[in-house]
Amino acid sequence: TPFISRVRSLYEDEGISSILVIGGAGDYFDVCDAVVMMDCYSPYDKTAEAKTIASQYASSMPSAAAMPPPPPGTSAETPFGQLGARYPLPTSLSADGGKVAARGL
């Protein structure tokens, strides 16, 4: 199931917000709450413009009724199933003090 089809219920049912960084695609305009455009490292609120664009074009996403059934272990009421606690794994962090090379423009 495409993320765009579940992003709204992820917030409404589970209280989990999503921040997406997308360049040049308006696919999420009809399901977003805010749109921030970055221009020369300055943020601009473009939510109103995005909603206007979304209202002018039909969504290419199928309606909820046309979506396939939820995966096993989930239901229409809990499309994400049981969400477990999230925490970083100690093995994913490195404290060796190694340097990271920066890439310039």
Side-chain angles (χ1 to χ4, degrees), residues 7-60:
V7 68
R8 176 57 53 195
S9 69
L10 185 61
Y11 175 72
E12 292 174 354
D13 300 339
E14 305 295 340
I16 298 173
S17 297
S18 299
I19 298 174
L20 304 177
V21 178
I22 301 173
D27 294 345
Y28 286 82
F29 284 174
D30 58 340
V31 297
C32 69
D33 294 316
V35 173
V36 177
M37 179 186 84
M38 297 297 293
D39 186 21
C40 297
Y41 299 98
S42 296
Y44 297 92
D45 183 358
K46 295 294 182 175
T47 305
E49 291 91 331
K51 294 296 181 181
T52 299
I53 292 168
S55 70
Q56 294 172 354
Y57 298 93
S59 175
S60 62

Side-chain angles (χ1 to χ4, degrees), residues 46-104:
K46 295 294 182 175
T47 305
E49 291 91 331
K51 294 296 181 181
T52 299
I53 292 168
S55 70
Q56 294 172 354
Y57 298 93
S59 175
S60 62
M61 294 307 302
S63 68
M67 293 301 296
T74 64
S75 68
E77 292 79 35
T78 59
F80 292 97
Q82 182 64 33
L83 299 176
R86 296 185 61 173
Y87 54 90
L89 298 173
T91 57
S92 69
L93 304 173
S94 174
D96 66 5
K99 302 253 180 192
V100 176
R103 295 183 184 176

